[in-house]
């Protein structure tokens, strides 16, 4: 009797299932839900990520990240962002390069707990990471120092300035260059001045380069016409006026013959040597 009842029920239920449209979703209550990051679907969480390291790698900061040396492709934007921000290593000094192996990247992924079967790493067997640099022309530094001295001292008849560029160009990080000339040091009468040039990258001080500016003075001064021995008294035949370039550091030049005639020399002088007030003395009255 029980078997007959069960068979009857099956007979009544079967047409209902047979009439259910194809492709309809069953409404299951109490099923297990899989927790995923907010905004992700199951297919997105399992989507592949392809990391392709560039053949030419140039970085600009002290440390470089995966996003700076590789192209990261995939649909999972959150995961891609994590990978791009992963710090891979320290960059070399500006203008230099260092080696990088695929294993170095894998180690960093593992240490940051970002390693996954979803990642496909495409990289050469060995790579070079180069640090970009700013090119600083030594001629530009010399010109800045020259302009600074001319502005400070103005134009002086018979006086010219010559800046000596540094022997080597400074090697600095990449960025926006700016130069600031400081106040010169030294006495223009002694022949040499020193001008500090402060170099800034993105308005941050990087290096100070000192430029030497030579002061050349070509003026009409009194010179001797013959070899004059120490303690000789100069006559009008012994001196003349000549337009010459004074030696570096020469001070107190005589610009008139009157200042020299009748004076006694303190040291031996050679022809065409300029006369300085410090070379002469008034002979004692007899």
């Amino acid at each position: 009797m029980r078997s007959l009842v069960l068979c009857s029920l099956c007979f009544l239920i079967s047409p209902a299932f047979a009439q259910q449209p194809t492709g309809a979703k069953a409404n299951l209550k109490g099923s297990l839900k899989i927790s995923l990051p907010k905004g992700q679907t199951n297919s997105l969480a399992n989507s592949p990520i392809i990391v392709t390291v560039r053949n030419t790698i140039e970085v600009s900061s002290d440390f470089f990240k995966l996003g700076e040396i590789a192209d990261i492709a995939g649909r999972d934007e959150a995961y891609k962002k994590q990978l791009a921000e992963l710090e891979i290593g320290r960059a070399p000094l500006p203008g230099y390069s260092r080696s990088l192996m695929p294993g170095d990247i894998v180690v960093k992924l593992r240490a940051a707990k970002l390693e996954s079967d979803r990642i496909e790493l495409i990289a050469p067997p060995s790579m070079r990471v180069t640090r970009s640099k700013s090119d600083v022309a030594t001629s530009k530094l010399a010109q800045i120092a020259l302009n600074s001295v001319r502005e400070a001292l103005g134009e002086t008849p018979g006086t010219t300035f010559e800046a000596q560029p540094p022997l080597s160009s400074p090697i600095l990080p990449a960025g926006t260059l700016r130069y600031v000339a400081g106040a010169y040091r030294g006495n223009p009468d002694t022949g040499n001045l020193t001008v500090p040039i402060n170099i800034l990258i993105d308005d941050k001080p990087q290096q100070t380069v000192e430029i030497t500016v030579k002061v050349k003075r070509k003026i009409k001064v009194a010179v001797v016409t013959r070899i004059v021995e120490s303690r000789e008294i100069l006559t009008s035949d012994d001196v003349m006026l000549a337009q010459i370039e004074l030696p570096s550091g020469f001070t107190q030049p005589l610009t008139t013959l009157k200042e020299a005639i009748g004076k006694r020399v303190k040291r031996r002088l050679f022809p065409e040597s300029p006369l300085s007030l410090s070379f002469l003395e008034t002979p004692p009255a007899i």
Side-chain angles (χ1 to χ4, degrees):
M1 184 66 180
R2 182 178 299 175
S3 299
L4 182 60
V5 173
L6 290 174
C7 289
S8 299
L9 289 173
C10 290
F11 180 80
L12 293 172
I13 294 172
S14 296
F17 279 97
Q19 294 175 6
Q20 184 174 353
T22 304
K25 296 181 180 179
N27 185 14
L28 301 177
K29 295 182 178 180
S31 60
L32 179 64
K33 293 184 179 179
I34 300 174
S35 298
L36 297 174
K38 187 176 181 180
Q40 289 189 352
T41 64
N42 188 28
S43 60
L44 186 62
N46 294 321
S47 62
I49 300 292
I50 301 175
V51 179
T52 306
V53 183
R54 303 184 188 100
N55 291 327
T56 302
I57 301 175
E58 186 175 78
V59 298
S60 58
S61 54
D62 293 336
F63 295 87
F64 60 94
K65 300 176 181 179
L66 185 59
E68 296 179 76
I69 66 172
D71 297 317
I72 305 173
R75 293 166 43 209
D76 192 339
E77 297 298 332
Y79 193 22
K80 284 166 54 179
K81 185 176 181 180
Q82 280 185 295
L83 293 174
E85 291 297 317
L86 177 64
E87 188 177 281
I88 299 300
R90 177 182 285 275
L93 293 174
Y96 291 85
S97 61
R98 55 157 288 189
S99 62
L100 181 69
M101 309 297 288
D104 298 330
I105 299 175
V106 173
V107 168
K108 292 294 183 180
L109 288 169
R110 189 170 299 159
K113 297 182 180 180
L114 292 174
E115 187 181 27
S116 171
D117 293 337
R118 299 167 55 192
I119 299 177
E120 181 182 354
L121 179 62
I122 302 174
S126 179
M127 296 150 281
R128 301 292 297 179
V129 178
T130 303
R131 176 84 172 272
S132 56
K133 65 182 180 70
S134 293
D135 293 322
V136 180
T138 56
S139 58
K140 185 175 182 65
L141 296 176
Q143 188 61 48
I144 292 172
L146 198 58
N147 294 341
S148 176
V149 170
R150 284 173 176 167
E151 184 179 350
L153 298 179
E155 295 294 333
T156 304
T159 302
T160 59
F161 306 101
E162 180 183 327
Q164 297 180 327
L167 297 178
S168 59
S169 176
I171 299 177
L172 301 174
T176 303
L177 283 168
R178 190 161 68 90
Y179 307 93
V180 179
Y184 72 82
R185 300 192 305 272
N187 187 343
D189 293 334
T190 63
N192 289 331
L193 304 175
T194 302
V195 181
I197 306 294
N198 301 306
I199 306 176
L200 294 82
I201 302 289
D202 297 330
D203 288 330
K204 295 180 180 179
Q206 294 291 328
Q207 189 172 339
T208 300
V209 180
E210 294 194 338
I211 305 297
T212 299
V213 178
K214 298 183 69 175
V215 182
K216 295 184 177 181
R217 295 173 295 159
K218 193 171 185 179
I219 59 176
K220 185 175 286 189
V221 296
V223 299
V224 295
T225 58
R226 63 178 180 86
I227 296 177
V228 180
E229 300 294 342
S230 175
R231 303 184 67 79
E232 279 194 63
I233 297 177
L234 296 174
T235 67
S236 59
D237 295 330
D238 299 327
V239 294
M240 61 178 287
L241 291 177
Q243 187 89 9
I244 65 169
E245 183 178 310
L246 292 177
S248 176
F250 193 90
T251 59
Q252 298 179 300
L254 303 185
T255 56
T256 64
L257 297 180
K258 183 179 178 180
E259 296 176 280
I261 296 174
K263 296 294 193 301
R264 186 168 65 181
V265 299
K266 299 179 181 178
R267 48 181 285 189
R268 191 183 194 194
L269 300 175
F270 293 92
E272 299 183 0
S273 297
L275 285 170
S276 169
L277 185 63
S278 62
F279 297 169
L280 306 177
E281 62 183 2
T282 302
I286 298 175

